[in-house]
């Protein structure tokens, strides 16, 4: 006769399933997944993945036209709703940048130190301007309260930030590469890979900002794909932090 333990066996096997988390020794099982999702930043970045997946799907389906057009419009509207939802997670995010002042002061290379202080200033400007835009986007302020081009100028803050972040990431990647000698540990080589991923993320942010700032050479397809790549890299980064 089947026992209670036998009846629970499939459930136990299901919960025991895990997958490796790239560039770490961690494995994502049910417990690790719950830990990662308890982080607001990880959830926000996961929403970003869904947002740009929906945006890319909408772009492709609208280009296909015909019977796919209505589904494409749905995906495009979904992407906009997910973008608004993400704004609720990002309110007051700019406070965290004050923690970076200590590292900027400790930097021995004065040129790099100035670059780090510029990075902090750009992050503050970009996040605070985004918060102002979000007040109207999420309905805290009535539509029309803010000047018509508020979001447009906020996007320019993001573009400038992306450029500065690229220069900061180049410095970090160079330093990580100097340490990643053939005899270096796996952890050192992982840090190099993470630095390279972060650099690629900021390049993607710049490509995405071209479209947001309505530049003539910008491509909507490039906007969708770069946004999706940046979302994957950011989700991976914050998942690693949450699981430390």
């Amino acid at each position: 006769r089947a026992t209670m333990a036998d009846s629970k066996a499939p459930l136990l096997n299901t919960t025991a399933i895990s997958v490796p988390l790239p560039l770490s020794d961690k494995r994502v099982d049910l417990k690790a997944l719950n830990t990662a999702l308890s982080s607001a930043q990880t959830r926000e970045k996961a929403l970003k993945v869904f947002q740009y997946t929906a945006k890319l799907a909408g772009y492709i389906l609208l280009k296909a036209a015909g019977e796919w057009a209505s589904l494409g419009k749905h995906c495009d509207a979904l992407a906009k709703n997910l973008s608004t939802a993400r704004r609720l997670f990002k309110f007051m995010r700019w406070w965290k940048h004050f923690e970076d002042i200590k590292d900027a002061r400790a930097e021995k290379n004065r040129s790099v130190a100035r670059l780090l202080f510029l990075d902090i200033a750009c992050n503050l400007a970009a996040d605070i301007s985004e918060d102002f835009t979000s007040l109207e986007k999420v309905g805290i302020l009535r539509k029309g309260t803010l000047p018509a081009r508020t979001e447009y100028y906020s996007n320019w803050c993001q573009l400038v930030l992306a450029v500065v972040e690229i220069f900061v990431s180049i410095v970090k990647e160079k330093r990580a590469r100097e340490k990643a000698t053939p005899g270096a540990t796996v952890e050192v080589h992982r840090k190099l890979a993470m630095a390279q991923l972060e650099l690629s993320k900021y390049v993607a942010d710049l490509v995405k900002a071209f479209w947001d700032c309505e530049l003539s050479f910008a491509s909507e397809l490039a906007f969708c794909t770069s946004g999706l790549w940046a979302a994957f890299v950011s989700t991976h980064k914050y998942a690693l932090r949450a699981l430390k």
Side-chain angles (χ1 to χ4, degrees):
R1 188 176 66 180
T3 65
M4 185 177 295
D6 293 332
S7 65
K8 290 183 178 180
L11 177 60
L12 292 175
N13 289 336
T14 300
T15 56
I17 294 174
S18 64
V19 294
L21 185 61
L23 300 179
S24 75
D25 295 322
K26 303 289 184 180
R27 295 190 68 85
V28 180
D29 54 15
L30 184 60
K31 182 178 179 181
L33 181 62
N34 286 330
T35 300
L37 291 177
S38 68
S39 163
Q41 287 179 313
T42 307
R43 290 202 307 277
E44 185 264 315
K45 298 307 178 186
L47 274 179
K48 187 176 181 180
V49 172
F50 289 123
Q51 175 193 341
Y52 282 98
T53 299
K55 184 67 179 176
L56 181 59
Y59 174 83
I60 294 171
L61 292 171
L62 286 171
K63 288 292 182 182
E67 61 185 16
W68 296 106
S70 61
L71 182 57
K73 290 179 181 178
H74 169 75
C75 289
D76 199 52
L78 173 61
K80 290 178 181 178
N81 289 336
L82 289 171
S83 176
T84 302
R86 286 179 54 223
R87 289 176 180 273
L88 295 170
F89 285 95
K90 295 191 288 182
F91 267 124
M92 307 300 289
R93 184 177 61 177
W94 48 273
W95 279 103
K96 72 175 184 178
H97 301 303
F98 289 107
E99 297 178 0
D100 299 328
I101 294 176
K102 181 180 179 181
D103 291 335
R105 284 177 173 170
E107 174 58 50
K108 295 179 180 179
N109 186 312
R110 298 327 304 167
S111 296
V112 176
R114 285 192 288 270
L115 181 60
L116 293 176
F117 278 115
L118 177 61
D119 183 45
I120 293 169
C122 289
N123 267 293
L124 286 169
D127 285 352
I128 291 173
S129 65
E130 187 176 27
D131 272 6
F132 276 112
T133 304
S134 296
L135 291 173
E136 191 170 282
K137 285 281 187 178
V138 303
I140 295 175
L141 296 178
R142 291 182 296 178
K143 287 186 178 181
T145 302
L146 298 176
R149 300 292 273 175
T150 300
E151 185 174 11
Y152 173 77
Y153 293 118
S154 174
N155 290 336
W156 272 99
C157 290
Q158 297 291 341
L159 189 150
V160 173
L161 172 62
V163 173
V164 174
E165 292 281 25
I166 286 171
F167 281 106
V168 172
S169 295
I170 288 173
V171 172
K172 291 180 178 179
E173 191 274 341
K174 181 181 178 182
R175 290 178 174 180
R177 188 161 19 94
E178 289 172 351
K179 295 179 181 179
T181 59
T185 64
V186 173
E187 186 62 29
V188 171
H189 283 282
R190 283 175 176 170
K191 287 182 179 180
L192 172 60
M194 288 293 295
Q196 291 169 337
L197 277 177
E198 190 156 277
L199 175 57
S200 74
K201 185 262 182 189
Y202 291 124
V203 172
D205 282 346
L206 180 60
V207 174
K208 187 167 68 70
F210 290 154
W211 178 262
D212 285 331
C213 292
E214 305 171 14
L215 298 180
S216 59
F217 58 82
S219 161
E220 187 176 4
L221 178 59
F223 166 79
C224 297
T225 54
S226 60
L228 185 57
W229 173 251
F232 277 123
V233 174
S234 295
T235 303
H236 173 257
K237 173 184 174 180
Y238 285 107
L240 281 175
R241 287 186 182 182
L243 296 176
K244 277 187 177 180

